[in-house]
Amino acid sequence: MATRIRPLAAGDRARVEAMTRATGLFRAAEIPVALEVFDAAVGVGRAADPDYESAGAEVDGSLAGWICWGPTPGTEGTFHLYWIVVDPAWQNRGVGGQLLEEMERRMAGRARLIAVETAGRPDYAPTRGFYAGRGYRIAAEVSDYYAPDDDLVMFVKRL
Ligand SMILES: CC(C)(COP(=O)(O)OP(=O)(O)OC[C@H]1O[C@@H](n2cnc3c(N)ncnc32)[C@H](O)[C@@H]1OP(=O)(O)O)[C@@H](O)C(=O)NCCC(=O)NCCS
């Protein structure tokens, strides 16, 4: 399996939307939010916003994952990981880990703290395990944040 990290382009939008939906994790209202972040990072229909950075992972020539991050406004050296998705067909093969490494490599020297907000629902257990296995620690939890019985879990990693 040959994985290549590469920049995202406007032509990736449909694949990004399809794989984000295919995870089955996000509620319908979250898909336009993911695409908004993609559009800002890539510059779809506008100039690219320098506060949103992104990368894609290609496996055997097709896009298998994407990631978007940026400096958290109003902070000194805190960055947010806004979105990471690996196509379900390619999960558990190290693609997400490579995307996370790419993000951390590109933040090096600028970021002090990385924050990522995820969910406490049972179906997010593999996602929480993914972060926990890569040096991210739970810093805050807010019950019923996204919806009743759908908690916010914030992970942070200090660089
Ligand atoms: C979370 C997510 C991005 C992780 O991506 P991924 O490609 O599955 O991640 P990886 O393969 O790098 O790591 C996952 C597991 O695979 C294992 N793995 C890593 N490389 C591997 C390899 N070469 N072969 C087999 N397994 C491997 C890791 O040990 C890891 O297991 P662990 O976390 O239990 O230790 C992906 O599962 C996803 O898109 N989930 C749905 C969307 C989501 O939750 N996004 C985040 C919202 S906050």
Side-chain angles (χ1 to χ4, degrees):
M1 180 178 120
T3 307
R4 185 170 75 94
I5 302 296
R6 65 154 173 86
L8 291 169
D12 294 320
R13 198 176 193 274
R15 273 288 298 141
V16 160
E17 178 173 0
M19 75 174 78
T20 303
R21 282 188 197 282
T23 63
L25 274 191
F26 303 112
R27 46 181 105 247
E30 289 180 279
I31 304 296
V33 180
L35 290 172
E36 177 69 26
V37 161
F38 172 88
D39 290 346
V42 173
V44 179
R46 67 185 95 167
D49 184 334
D51 282 343
Y52 292 84
E53 301 173 42
S54 63
E58 236 179 49
V59 177
D60 296 339
S62 51
L63 193 71
W66 70 285
I67 187 168
C68 180
W69 70 91
T72 308
T75 66
E76 288 181 14
T78 296
F79 278 60
H80 255 75
L81 164 52
Y82 292 122
W83 225 284
I84 180 170
V85 166
V86 172
D87 188 309
W90 293 108
Q91 288 176 8
N92 291 312
R93 291 175 161 98
V95 175
Q98 287 186 59
L99 284 168
L100 211 60
E101 278 175 23
E102 171 73 5
M103 176 191 78
E104 293 183 8
R105 192 182 62 73
R106 286 174 51 186
M107 280 179 186
R110 295 186 292 151
R112 185 177 47 80
L113 192 81
I114 307 170
V116 52
E117 290 166 27
T118 189
R121 287 184 344 230
D123 54 350
Y124 271 85
T127 300
R128 294 191 300 275
F130 170 74
Y131 295 127
R134 285 156 188 83
Y136 290 72
R137 297 288 167 254
I138 294 176
E141 293 180 73
V142 184
S143 299
D144 304 322
Y145 179 87
Y146 293 110
D149 294 324
D150 193 350
D151 303 348
L152 165 76
V153 181
M154 180 188 268
F155 282 82
V156 299
K157 180 174 181 174
R158 287 176 187 278
L159 297 179

